[in-house]
Amino acid sequence: MAIVIRHVIVTGRVQGVGYRAWTGDQAIMLGLHGWVRNRRDGSVEAVFAGPAELVAELIEACHRGPPPARVDKVVASDASADMLALRDARETFSQLATL
């Protein structure tokens, strides 16, 4: 099973609607590692690490998000272990402060 690390930016109505918490819950349920945070431009940024199939499943779910969200665009790209290291080392998946 291939392990991947992906960087994701989600735009639309994704702040103030529970999108960040929803993303963290979904990642934890799938057993993924990483982090999520709001960005000052109104988007949400995340890094997901784990089995390729499960990371792809979460990225696909990010196109929908929680019910109050309106997702306009999801851009996913390969990420490095350096990006993953931004999470709190005591946590599997972290919600970081706004960038």
Side-chain angles (χ1 to χ4, degrees):
M1 189 177 302
I3 302 296
V4 299
I5 305 173
R6 302 283 281 164
H7 178 241
V8 179
I9 302 285
V10 183
T11 58
R13 185 171 170 247
V14 293
Q15 289 190 18
V17 294
Y19 195 97
R20 189 171 45 134
W22 173 87
T23 301
D25 291 345
Q26 298 301 307
I28 290 167
M29 284 190 329
L30 291 170
L32 300 178
H33 293 246
W35 53 263
V36 62
R37 67 181 166 197
N38 289 336
R39 292 168 44 117
R40 288 192 181 107
D41 65 3
S43 65
V44 169
E45 176 181 28
V47 169
F48 306 132
E53 301 81 20
L54 297 177
V55 170
E57 181 179 330
L58 183 50
I59 292 171
E60 182 58 34
C62 285
H63 287 271
R64 295 180 303 278
R70 186 199 75 244
V71 176
D72 293 339
K73 187 175 182 181
V74 176
V75 176
S77 58
D78 290 335
S80 68
D82 289 342
M83 289 190 79
L84 180 61
L86 293 176
R87 80 174 193 270
D88 184 328
R90 298 166 294 178
E91 299 176 335
T92 302
F93 200 88
S94 301
Q95 289 189 37
L96 303 179
T98 300
L99 170 66

